[in-house]
Amino acid sequence: DGGITQSPKYLFRKEGQNVTLSCEQNLNHDAMYWYRQDPGQGLRLIYYSQIVNDFQKGDIAEGYSVSREKKESFPLTVTSAQKNPTAFYLCASSMTGGRGGEQFFGPGTRLTVL
Amino acid sequence: GENVEQHPSTLSVQEGDSAVIKCTYSDSASNYFPWYKQELGKRPQLIIDIRSNVGEKKDQRIAVTLNKTAKHFSLHITETQPEDSAVYFCAATPGGGADGLTFGKGTHLIIQP
């Protein structure tokens, strides 16, 4: 299960606070992704990055921000503008960006807003 | 954008029987269709995938079929076992040159002993 890690496993946030979720991979993958999963729902794409210093919005980017300063790292910040941030957040990576590559998922971070 | 519909939301089968989960997609430009298995509280794990130039793919008890004309694909699990109990997600690539996957809402597969 190694190769892509996320921290922390659980995160609690007060309303109005920004929090940053960590995602690191040592698979030498070019592409990285952030998904959000709500109970009884499929995964929804927040942001993705195909190369360092470049990233694109997914289907539900509002209230989130990302950076890709290193190939290995793709942190996600959940801002106070995200109205309903309580969810399970999953990071994934793929050898190459574009369509048709297997995505490997991290273990996830469960964020709860108090 | 891409839209993926998945049915049924819950499927209960007797151990040893077969299970079939069906998905439809909207974007005819999609060309990659993976299936993921997710156990409670765990990460999704790829179990099988298929590309648009292939109609069927098998891996032991698991098979996936793709009908590009009808824009649907299905997961078939034969000789089901207790460890097959999980939530299964289908997914498809988006069109328009975008990246990432669009997922169905999942099927909770229950294997009855």
Side-chain angles (χ1 to χ4, degrees):
Chain A
D1 279 349
I4 181 165
T5 59
Q6 293 184 241
S7 62
K9 186 174 182 179
Y10 298 97
L11 186 57
F12 299 90
R13 189 194 92 170
K14 294 182 180 179
E15 286 198 26
Q17 284 183 335
N18 293 352
V19 291
T20 297
L21 284 58
S22 170
C23 178
E24 303 276 334
Q25 54 99 1
N26 63 3
L27 301 168
N28 200 32
H29 285 173
D30 287 321
M32 297 186 74
Y33 311 82
W34 275 104
Y35 294 90
R36 169 183 172 141
Q37 186 174 29
D38 294 283
Q41 300 292 318
L43 285 69
R44 291 182 292 168
L45 182 66
I46 305 172
Y47 268 98
Y48 67 90
S49 169
Q50 295 180 326
I51 57 172
V52 174
N53 293 323
D54 185 60
F55 48 83
Q56 304 295 329
K57 292 182 179 180
D59 299 320
I60 56 165
E62 185 175 351
Y64 300 98
S65 66
V66 294
S67 63
R68 186 87 186 275
E69 297 177 0
K70 298 187 300 181
K71 188 176 186 177
E72 305 79 23
S73 179
F74 191 40
L76 173 74
T77 297
V78 185
T79 75
S80 57
Q82 171 48 235
K83 298 305 179 189
N84 185 21
T86 294
F88 189 44
Y89 289 87
L90 287 155
C91 179
S93 70
S94 178
M95 186 176 296
T96 58
R99 296 141 49 135
E102 178 181 355
Q103 293 188 18
F104 297 84
F105 284 87
T109 292
R110 193 167 297 279
L111 173 63
T112 303
V113 174
L114 303 174
Chain B
E2 176 69 277
N3 183 50
V4 176
E5 300 283 341
Q6 181 171 349
H7 299 280
S9 58
T10 302
L11 178 60
S12 181
V13 301
Q14 291 293 123
E15 183 178 350
D17 287 350
S18 296
V20 180
I21 302 170
K22 299 181 179 182
C23 289
T24 59
Y25 61 98
S26 61
D27 185 355
S28 56
S30 292
N31 67 355
Y32 176 65
F33 307 92
W35 285 88
Y36 284 85
K37 175 183 180 182
Q38 187 179 32
E39 297 177 354
L40 189 63
K42 300 290 182 65
R43 74 186 82 189
Q45 295 199 309
L46 182 74
I47 56 172
I48 196 166
D49 56 12
I50 191 167
R51 300 184 186 276
S52 58
N53 58 349
V54 175
E56 183 176 0
K57 183 177 179 181
K58 283 186 178 180
D59 184 3
Q60 300 183 342
R61 297 186 296 110
I62 296 173
V64 57
T65 58
L66 172 65
N67 183 327
K68 285 172 51 181
T69 303
K71 290 189 283 188
H72 68 72
F73 56 114
S74 300
L75 178 71
H76 305 252
I77 305 174
T78 59
E79 300 172 10
T80 53
Q81 300 169 3
E83 54 265 36
D84 294 329
S85 293
V87 179
Y88 291 80
F89 293 97
C90 63
T93 51
D99 199 355
L101 292 168
T102 300
F103 284 81
K105 292 189 175 182
T107 296
H108 185 193
L109 177 61
I110 302 166
I111 308 301
Q112 302 280 4

